[in-house]
Amino acid sequence: MKTRDIVIFSGEQFAVPQCIQRIDHQSTHGWQLRYGGTKLFSDHSQDGSGAAAALALATKELLSRIAKLPAPSRLQRKPSGNKGNDLPVGISGPIVRQRASSRVRDCSFAVSLPRYGAAPRGRSVYIGTENTYTIEKYQAALAKAVELRAKAEESYQRAATRAKRAEGKALKELLKANRA
């Protein structure tokens, strides 16, 4: 897991993992955990002397949450406000095109399939030609597109959680090595 060096107001320097922020404001001094909700771990001192202990508690809670909770997802959950139709996120269409070798146009949905750590993959779900297009085929193709997208999102979430837990494990080992 990535860490960054932070120097607090008292001059002490700390290696702070992602998802933990320093809060120094008037009478509030501590570390805020931002993973699966927020929680402040106060220094319980005005001079910053309790910062190391508070950071240790925040890091312990972070590792606990990483082990229990799914990783936060960056996938879009709702269609953007300017989307011109009522199709779900990641599905566009119907797209009508005429191939060079054909005299009739065909229709399909374009589906964006997210992949963790890689560019999304695009898929096309065929609906029919202008001669065979029906509402039933449209609905069946839409159902298939929604299913493809849902499976890809599920796979993305599993991979993101697996990666985050591996980062947590590496951070835990790093903390053990620093204590020894």
Side-chain angles (χ1 to χ4, degrees):
M1 176 173 279
K2 293 180 185 175
T3 61
R4 63 203 182 288
D5 291 328
I6 291 183
V7 178
I8 65 170
F9 67 94
S10 66
E12 280 187 272
Q13 184 172 347
F14 297 95
V16 181
Q18 286 179 319
C19 306
I20 297 177
Q21 306 295 319
R22 180 67 187 174
I23 305 292
D24 284 317
H25 182 70
Q26 294 177 349
S27 63
T28 303
H29 301 286
W31 302 97
Q32 186 180 46
L33 172 61
R34 296 179 181 172
Y35 190 95
T38 61
K39 184 173 181 181
L40 180 68
F41 292 86
S42 177
D43 293 353
H44 297 294
S45 65
Q46 292 296 315
D47 61 357
S49 60
L55 178 59
L57 288 173
T59 304
K60 183 178 179 183
E61 178 68 18
L62 172 64
L63 292 172
S64 171
R65 289 184 183 191
I66 287 173
K68 287 187 255 176
L69 301 174
S73 176
R74 294 185 158 179
L75 292 178
Q76 187 176 346
R77 296 289 176 204
K78 296 186 286 186
S80 59
N82 60 355
K83 190 168 185 177
N85 56 36
D86 59 349
L87 292 174
V89 171
I91 301 173
S92 304
I95 299 168
V96 179
R97 65 179 154 223
Q98 186 168 357
R99 301 188 191 273
S101 61
S102 177
R103 284 193 242 163
V104 293
R105 294 178 294 178
D106 66 40
C107 191
S108 60
F109 287 113
V111 184
S112 175
L113 304 175
R115 298 183 302 163
Y116 184 77
R121 179 171 283 147
R123 290 288 164 162
S124 180
V125 178
Y126 178 77
I127 300 171
T129 67
E130 60 187 336
N131 296 333
T132 62
Y133 185 97
T134 63
I135 295 297
E136 292 79 24
K137 285 187 177 187
Y138 174 92
Q139 291 171 341
L142 180 57
K144 183 176 179 182
V146 167
E147 181 184 349
L148 283 172
R149 175 71 184 193
K151 284 182 181 177
E153 285 179 358
E154 192 177 300
S155 175
Y156 179 98
Q157 188 63 47
R158 274 195 314 270
T161 300
R162 195 171 25 250
K164 197 60 143 172
R165 288 186 178 157
E167 288 177 7
K169 193 179 249 185
L171 177 63
K172 197 179 234 181
E173 294 302 320
L174 180 67
L175 291 174
K176 279 183 186 177
N178 287 344
R179 277 187 248 152

